[in-house]
Amino acid sequence: PSDPAPVASPQITSPGNGRLVSGGFTIAGTAEPGSSVQVSASSRSDPLCVITVGDDGSFSCSTGSLPNGPGVRLRVVQLAEGSANLDDSVTVNVLNAPTVESGSASGASTGYGTVRGSAAAGATVVASAEGAAGSYRCTAVADGSGNWACNLGAGIPSGDLRVRATQTTSWSGGPSATSSALTLRIDSDAPAPPAITAPGPGASVRASGAVFSGTGEPGALVTVFAGSFAACTATVRTGAWSCTGGELAAGRVALSAIQQDTAGNVSDESASFGVQFVAAAPASPSPNATGAPGAGAGGPQNPGAGAGAGAGAGAGGSNGTGGATGGESGNGSTGGTGTDGSGAGGSGTGSGSGAPGGNPGGDPGSGGTGSDGSPGGPAAHADAHARDGSWAGSTRFSGSLQPVFGSTSGMNWLIALGVAVAALLLIAAPARLMAGALSVASHARARRRGTLLTGRNRSRDEFERAPDLSMNPWLLAGIAVVASAAIGMLSGPVENQPSYLRLLAAIVIAFGVLNAVSVLVPRALGFRMLGIRSTITFAPRYLALAAVATLVSRVFTIEPALLFGLVLAIGCVEGASVSARARFAMLHLLSLVVLGGLAWTTASVLPALSTPAGAFATEVLNTLVLGSFGAAAVLVLPFGRLSGRALFAWSRAAWLATALGAFTLLAAVVAPAVAPAGSGVSLAPAPALVPLLLVAVGFAAVSLSVWAWLRFIAPALR
């Protein structure tokens, strides 16, 4: 027999040996016509394909995507009947295009244009973008897991970008294929500050479980701040948001909010306003207002809120139980009564909407789950203040003071008057008795001592002394005002925020105005109206009074703080009569009271501003109010070289009326506010009220004891 015809050996013609391939590629070659060939890759366990060679002796195999890696061996084995299996192989490097996606879970990005994706471990990824605003590019190195991210730029205008990416490794010898294009939406416009619609400025709300609501940009995350602490967060749905706070400290604080849109842009802080957090009165069950099992009653700030199911849905009712808004999620036992209305609860807080009912709801329930699957109940506190650190941030002095007139101002003024009477009885009167007794005892000892046989009996002027160093009085006064402002800054916590530098500048300016008015107005009016000449002096002792006011504010957590910003003193010239001194003292005190009243009224009618200038103006006005009333309350005390001493020596009745007015004004801006009727909130003592009262009673007891000893007991013993 004749020898069999020779069989052609298989050969891979594409890709070539050492080539870089990406994604799905085709392996082509030649082999014996009609034979079968099996194509495989060293990075795959299964064959890539098994095909029959065409009549022309050619074959091709589409691989699909192979894993990234260097030195991947591609092998073809020819299966020809009646002959040995022949094979051929080449080695290639496989590097696929990297993946690219938006760096934000929402798909939108801020003006930085953050993109991310996956690539070969250690690969260098280059992302390029084209759009109407221009071209952008960034480079990143993938980590050990192949993850990478980079920012295309900074301040990219809002719009769409088409983003593609390639990658390069140390073994690839060049870049990979380009990825599919990603349409990246850029949203570089920060949202407007959210609005807080409830509670309103000057309102009194309970410190535990307070409900906050307002409006914002749909989809944005709103964070509500009570002072420097995050009270709760909520997502804006259909333009509105609502959240429930946890346990907040009682007292008057500034309420504000910020929001972060879906792209990650953070708004400026909303205009802050003051609210009073007070302890809630325990709710007593009513037989006519019972909630369904697992239902929670509406919050105190939503009158007529009815029972809400544990899943956050509000049950509608008609002339019975159920309310206009969905209750808070949880298990509650006290429902609210209301008139017609129905509504569905929102998210985890379970709030809803509907027509107001007749009576306020009860206490919030506990437990349950919101309709969106999130846990019900009060929102958790944030661990840190999420402000953006801007100059428009709020401080302790940028919140609104209690308004001069309002729905609860009558009761607040009565409370302030009571505090003023207590201050007169426990502080001013005992201090006057003790100071008078000490003064009489000191003069009596001096008369009994007579001329000393030892020590200095000659005038100090007879001896040489160091020359006096003169200093520009305006420079001295300016330094003293700054020092007094720094002391006033320490009356409460100081945060590491730019807004507190703004606050220091506001206090310096306010104290400068306070000192100028306290000496220039009495000096001018005293001479023109009363014909009384006066002298202005620098009073370093006033800095000690400022330090005492700051210490009292910090120790007893008084908010707003007690301030004493005077560093200049004014008095009549030597030789003035008792009557002239008293009238001038009255003029001095009235100038402080009028300045504080004007600042208070201006702050009450000034519209809320969220700009740094608006916050600065509010801080200046609030500091003027607290500084003026605080200075008047101190200077009216009837001892030492204070104005109250001259007024007390002239007329007890005039001093009493002036002191009562000064103490009442100070108490009106410092004392806690009264909860409005029907709010479900009862007035609770401020945390420092009991310690302050005990200290005042102790001071009165010591003062009266010293007075009684020096006035009656000591003379009898002699």
Side-chain angles (χ1 to χ4, degrees):
S2 61
D3 294 333
V7 176
S9 298
Q11 183 180 8
I12 298 176
T13 58
S14 177
N17 196 48
R19 293 289 302 275
L20 177 67
V21 295
S22 294
F25 61 95
T26 299
I27 301 174
T30 61
E32 177 69 21
S35 65
S36 295
V37 293
Q38 177 179 284
V39 183
S40 62
S42 60
S43 57
R44 287 275 187 90
S45 58
D46 297 329
L48 298 178
C49 55
V50 177
I51 56 177
T52 300
V53 180
D55 295 337
D56 59 353
S58 65
F59 69 88
S60 65
C61 172
S62 297
T63 65
S65 180
L66 296 179
N68 294 322
V72 177
R73 184 186 179 202
L74 302 178
R75 182 169 179 254
V76 58
V77 178
Q78 179 175 268
L79 306 175
E81 186 177 352
S83 65
N85 295 335
L86 303 177
D87 68 297
D88 187 28
S89 64
V90 296
T91 300
V92 296
N93 298 321
V94 179
L95 186 61
N96 299 306
T99 63
V100 58
E101 59 187 25
S102 172
S104 171
S106 66
S109 179
T110 63
Y112 290 100
T114 303
V115 289
R116 62 182 178 179
S118 61
T124 299
V125 180
V126 177
S128 304
E130 299 286 340
S135 301
Y136 303 92
R137 178 187 177 97
C138 64
T139 303
V141 176
D143 61 18
S145 300
N147 300 315
W148 65 272
C150 63
N151 295 328
L152 290 168
I156 302 175
S158 297
D160 290 341
L161 294 178
R162 299 278 290 176
V163 186
R164 295 176 174 85
T166 61
Q167 62 175 326
T168 306
T169 65
S170 59
W171 45 263
S172 64
S176 69
T178 303
S179 68
S180 300
L182 165 72
T183 300
L184 179 66
R185 182 170 63 88
I186 301 294
D187 179 5
S188 58
D189 301 322
I196 301 177
T197 56
S204 293
V205 297
R206 60 183 181 183
S208 175
V211 178
F212 308 94
S213 60
T215 58
E217 181 177 303
L221 181 67
V222 175
T223 302
V224 179
F225 291 97
S228 59
F229 299 97
C232 61
T233 59
T235 300
V236 181
R237 304 182 188 279
T238 63
W241 58 268
S242 177
C243 63
T244 303
E247 293 289 340
L248 301 175
R252 185 180 299 124
V253 299
L255 197 66
S256 61
I258 62 172
Q259 64 178 333
Q260 183 179 30
D261 63 18
T262 56
N265 300 297
V266 179
S267 72
D268 289 333
E269 186 179 16
S270 67
S272 61
F273 55 85
V275 296
Q276 183 74 27
F277 287 106
V278 294
S284 57
S286 170
N288 296 323
T290 58
Q301 296 152 297
N302 295 315
S318 174
N319 300 323
T321 58
T325 62
E328 296 176 5
S329 62
N331 183 11
S333 60
T334 306
T337 60
T339 58
D340 294 341
S342 63
S347 60
T349 58
S351 61
S353 61
N359 299 320
D363 291 339
S366 61
T369 304
S371 59
D372 60 354
S374 58
H381 277 277
D383 292 334
H385 197 323
R387 301 175 192 265
D388 59 354
S390 69
W391 288 91
S394 66
T395 65
R396 296 176 292 108
F397 288 83
S398 58
S400 303
L401 298 175
Q402 281 296 114
V404 180
F405 301 104
S407 60
T408 62
S409 60
M411 182 59 68
N412 289 337
W413 281 109
L414 288 178
I415 292 177
L417 181 61
V419 173
V421 172
L424 282 172
L425 296 178
L426 298 178
I427 298 177
R432 172 57 196 165
L433 291 175
M434 181 174 64
L438 290 174
S439 178
V440 171
S442 176
H443 285 88
R445 284 195 300 271
R447 287 194 301 269
R448 291 195 301 270
R449 186 166 59 239
T451 303
L452 296 177
L453 298 178
T454 60
R456 182 183 297 276
N457 292 309
R458 301 174 65 185
S459 170
R460 293 179 180 270
D461 294 335
E462 298 180 21
F463 298 90
E464 294 182 358
R465 59 181 178 176
D468 294 331
L469 297 177
S470 61
M471 181 179 290
N472 187 303
W474 293 106
L475 177 61
L476 184 63
I479 294 174
V481 167
V482 174
S484 181
I487 294 173
M489 276 279 291
L490 299 178
S491 60
V494 178
E495 299 181 15
N496 186 21
Q497 296 285 343
S499 55
Y500 279 80
L501 291 177
R502 184 198 68 218
L503 173 61
L504 178 60
I507 297 178
V508 170
I509 291 178
F511 280 3
V513 173
L514 175 63
N515 279 273
V517 171
S518 70
V519 295
L520 296 181
V521 171
R523 182 182 179 90
L525 295 181
F527 180 74
R528 292 192 176 188
M529 298 173 57
L530 307 177
I532 300 174
R533 296 185 178 275
S534 56
T535 58
I536 300 174
T537 57
F538 169 58
R541 65 186 183 276
Y542 282 175
L543 292 176
L545 293 177
V548 171
T550 292
L551 183 63
V552 171
S553 297
R554 290 302 296 265
V555 170
F556 296 102
T557 320
I558 299 177
E559 183 69 30
L562 299 175
L563 295 180
F564 184 87
L566 294 182
V567 296
L568 299 178
I570 188 171
C572 297
V573 297
E574 293 293 334
S577 64
V578 173
S579 175
R581 291 181 181 276
R583 287 182 293 164
F584 190 82
M586 177 72 77
L587 189 60
H588 186 202
L589 294 171
L590 284 178
S591 66
L592 293 172
V593 170
V594 171
L595 174 63
L598 290 175
W600 194 9
T601 303
T602 304
S604 298
V605 301
L606 190 69
L609 301 174
S610 60
T611 61
F616 180 78
T618 302
E619 288 164 349
V620 171
L621 292 172
N622 289 347
T623 304
L624 277 176
V625 175
L626 297 170
S628 299
F629 291 164
V634 171
L635 295 182
V636 81
L637 296 175
F639 49 80
R641 287 178 285 177
L642 302 178
S643 299
R645 174 68 181 275
L647 193 59
F648 185 85
W650 177 60
S651 171
R652 304 290 195 273
W655 172 84
L656 180 62
T658 305
L660 191 62
F663 290 154
T664 301
L665 288 172
L666 179 61
V669 296
V670 173
V674 180
S679 66
V681 179
S682 64
L683 181 65
L689 187 58
V690 173
L692 272 175
L693 185 60
L694 292 177
V695 170
V697 171
F699 175 80
V702 171
S703 299
L704 292 176
S705 299
V706 172
W707 170 75
W709 176 269
L710 296 177
R711 181 69 175 82
F712 301 106
I713 300 175
L717 294 177
R718 289 196 297 269

